[in-house]
Amino acid sequence: MEEDSKKHVRHCVKCQEHADLHHAPPEELSSMLSPWPFYQWGMDILGPFPITAGGVKWLLVAIDYFSKWIEAEALATISANKVRRFFYRQIISRFGIPHTIITDNGTQFMDRKFNQILQDPHVKHRYTSVEHPQTNGLAKAANRVLKHGLERRLEAAKGEWPEQLDFVLWGYRTTKHSTTGETPFRMVYGSEAMIPVEIGEPSWRKMYTNVDSNSQALLHNLDAIEEMREIAHVKEVALKQRIAAHYNLKVVGRGFNMGDLVLRRADIRYKNAR
């Protein structure tokens, strides 16, 4: 029955014309990398959520491509003015002027005044095309993380999601990321955050650290932060090359070709990075 159904769909003209399929020609996968923290940000809008007592129902999300640090703000309306304020307050004033920002073609991001804010400090603004929204895939992934995190924390009171947003962000920032092997908190600040479990079950640094040893540990972390970031960057590059090589094999065919060679080299680099 399954084979008959597949055969019918393949030969049905209407099924092919109106199917919910991606009709763009297959192309090789290209990864987007950031050379240092806060160099490149992705921004997106998530919602609408259940309306709260204050009328809040939207979530404006931004993620740094290097450290995977997420900034998010709950809003009642998504206007160009709110986006401008979020970008200046949550990104520029906290992490400095980025080199590039990636958004979709929403009217809030295409606003003339918003782009004027980007032009003055020479921030490049890249738009994702309707045909290839994967260009801003990291922001979409951040949206999924926040959405699933909120769903796990909420039960019947769906309107309380803004109160739970900070807890979801905290959990994400202090959890190791699969691509870098480090937490976003450590990638940004150089040290791991003191999490609640270290209070309930005291860790070594909670029990034995004093002012002098803490100062020495912080200095050591500052000395090692660049090396830690370099190692995390190498892990991310190797993993993305490995994923791209697997994907590109499906595009160019299964025979032995340059894709096979790239895949083998990527596997070796990924194992060495680990």
Side-chain angles (χ1 to χ4, degrees):
M1 184 184 300
E2 183 178 355
E3 292 300 323
D4 290 342
S5 300
K6 291 181 179 178
K7 185 177 179 180
H8 172 74
V9 171
R10 291 194 187 103
H11 291 82
C12 177
V13 177
K14 294 298 182 181
C15 294
Q16 300 299 325
E17 289 180 350
H18 302 288
D20 186 15
L21 300 174
H22 188 64
H23 295 285
E27 297 180 1
E28 293 189 358
L29 183 66
S30 58
S31 301
M32 300 186 67
L33 297 171
S34 181
W36 60 74
F38 318 123
Y39 174 91
Q40 182 169 264
W41 288 81
M43 290 182 63
D44 200 10
I45 298 170
L46 183 61
F49 287 91
I51 301 178
T52 65
V56 177
K57 62 178 180 178
W58 300 96
L59 199 59
L60 185 55
V61 182
I63 183 168
D64 172 41
Y65 271 66
F66 185 91
S67 64
K68 309 301 183 287
W69 181 273
I70 293 179
E71 287 291 329
E73 183 178 0
L75 300 171
T77 59
I78 296 293
S79 63
N81 184 52
K82 296 287 182 65
V83 173
R84 292 197 302 270
R85 187 181 65 178
F86 173 86
F87 179 75
Y88 186 81
R89 185 177 60 185
Q90 300 294 104
I91 296 180
I92 291 182
S93 62
R94 297 187 64 189
F95 305 105
I97 299 173
H99 178 271
T100 306
I101 180 172
I102 301 175
T103 68
D104 59 21
N105 293 277
T107 56
Q108 300 88 350
F109 301 123
M110 299 183 70
D111 178 70
R112 180 180 59 83
K113 292 183 178 180
F114 175 65
N115 282 277
Q116 185 63 43
I117 292 179
L118 302 180
Q119 291 175 4
D120 292 341
H122 304 286
V123 178
K124 294 184 178 180
H125 191 181
R126 296 179 180 175
Y127 295 100
T128 61
S129 66
V130 178
E131 186 69 18
H132 296 285
Q134 300 90 343
T135 307
N136 202 15
L138 191 60
K140 301 296 183 183
N143 288 348
R144 289 195 299 270
V145 168
L146 296 181
K147 182 179 178 181
H148 295 331
L150 290 172
E151 289 175 346
R152 284 193 292 266
R153 293 190 64 90
L154 295 173
E155 294 181 359
K158 300 296 184 181
E160 296 181 358
W161 64 268
E163 287 74 19
Q164 300 297 326
L165 178 60
D166 290 333
F167 297 103
V168 175
L169 288 173
W170 170 256
Y172 171 83
R173 292 166 179 170
T174 55
T175 302
K176 288 187 177 181
H177 202 276
S178 58
T179 58
T180 61
E182 300 289 348
T183 65
F185 193 97
R186 189 177 183 218
M187 290 284 286
V188 172
Y189 296 107
S191 301
E192 293 291 3
M194 181 69 72
I195 58 178
V197 69
E198 295 188 68
I199 306 300
E201 295 292 336
S203 62
W204 183 89
R205 64 174 176 172
K206 175 65 177 177
M207 296 177 62
Y208 300 105
T209 300
N210 52 42
V211 176
D212 294 333
S213 61
N214 183 61
S215 299
Q216 293 296 325
L218 291 177
L219 290 175
H220 174 74
N221 289 339
L222 290 176
D223 290 337
I225 186 171
E226 291 301 328
E227 180 181 0
M228 179 269 294
R229 287 173 175 171
E230 287 292 336
I231 294 174
H233 184 62
V234 170
K235 289 181 179 179
E236 181 182 15
V237 172
L239 180 60
K240 288 186 174 182
Q241 287 182 347
R242 187 166 177 263
I243 294 173
H246 275 292
Y247 177 88
N248 295 340
L249 281 178
K250 300 178 182 179
V251 177
V252 299
R254 286 291 181 180
F256 180 81
N257 49 34
M258 185 58 67
D260 295 307
L261 183 59
V262 172
L263 176 58
R264 293 180 183 180
R265 291 177 176 176
D267 285 334
I268 295 174
R269 282 192 292 268
Y270 180 68
K271 292 178 181 178
N272 292 337
R274 294 182 64 186

